[in-house]
Amino acid sequence: MLTAFGASSLLLLASCNQAAPTEQATADAAQAAATDSTQAAAGAEAPKGVGFGRTADGQQAELYTLRNAHGVQVSITNYGGTITRLFVPDKAGKFGDIVLGFDSVAGYQSPAYRKAGPYFGALIGRYGNRIKAGKFTLNGKSYTLANNNGANHLHGGLKGFDKVLWQAEPGTSAEGPTLKLRYL
């Protein structure tokens, strides 16, 4: 089981179907499956971050890939805690990527992506869903939030958890490689 922890919450991540994987993606998944049996025998290793590009404000984003003994592979960037790839087998055992994702942080920061606001594979917050009219009252005090979904506040507003760099803590457990993401 692959989980991501952040902001003291267990975050469940869902994926969308995607068109057939590229030949390279299929080859990468096959390579991962072959590597997994070696890692399982030798003991799991903590995932290593690789450069995923620079954010608009110049910070380096990293990409971490976790693999289990069954060949399932997930790649997660610390930019928004976003799942960029998830390779799983179909009923015939052929691995394919089942999520929509970009090859670098630039895709997630492009004007077209930001305008569409799909939040593909990202961590959502500070609030998940919409706050009507971007306003709420807590303990008698009224708060006004940024409206980024028509007249409503959606998934944390203009700079929600999906648009920040999380602190990544790669590790291992008895079940295999782990990745904890923290943002304060």
Side-chain angles (χ1 to χ4, degrees):
M1 179 168 76
L2 300 171
T3 58
F5 291 90
S8 302
S9 302
L10 174 62
L11 302 167
L12 302 175
L13 305 168
S15 63
C16 303
N17 286 329
Q18 181 177 345
T22 63
E23 288 180 28
Q24 182 62 44
T26 303
D28 289 347
Q31 168 89 25
T35 303
D36 288 331
S37 59
T38 305
Q39 283 184 346
E45 294 181 25
K48 299 200 179 357
V50 296
F52 194 59
R54 294 209 172 266
T55 63
D57 62 0
Q59 297 181 75
Q60 178 66 46
E62 298 289 324
L63 186 69
Y64 298 85
T65 300
L66 291 78
R67 297 173 180 92
N68 72 13
H70 304 287
V72 174
Q73 172 183 312
V74 63
S75 294
I76 304 168
T77 177
N78 65 331
Y79 179 76
T82 305
I83 293 178
T84 63
R85 297 183 298 180
L86 178 59
F87 288 93
V88 296
D90 64 14
K91 64 182 178 182
K94 183 177 176 184
F95 280 81
D97 186 3
I98 63 166
V99 299
L100 297 173
F102 294 103
D103 294 330
S104 75
V105 72
Y108 296 98
Q109 294 190 321
S110 72
Y113 182 81
R114 287 187 155 218
K115 182 178 180 185
Y119 300 91
F120 290 152
L123 298 178
I124 302 303
R126 294 167 275 290
Y127 179 84
N129 210 340
R130 288 161 185 82
I131 297 177
K132 185 178 179 181
K135 297 178 182 181
F136 69 96
T137 302
L138 179 65
N139 297 329
K141 183 174 178 184
S142 295
Y143 295 88
T144 300
L145 307 171
N147 292 339
N148 62 322
N149 181 247
N152 302 309
H153 176 90
L154 177 66
H155 297 330
L158 300 174
K159 191 168 183 180
F161 289 162
D162 63 303
K163 295 175 187 74
V164 299
L165 278 183
W166 292 68
Q167 179 186 354
E169 298 175 19
T172 60
S173 73
E175 288 90 24
T178 63
L179 181 65
K180 288 182 183 181
L181 297 171
R182 296 180 189 273
Y183 180 73
L184 180 61

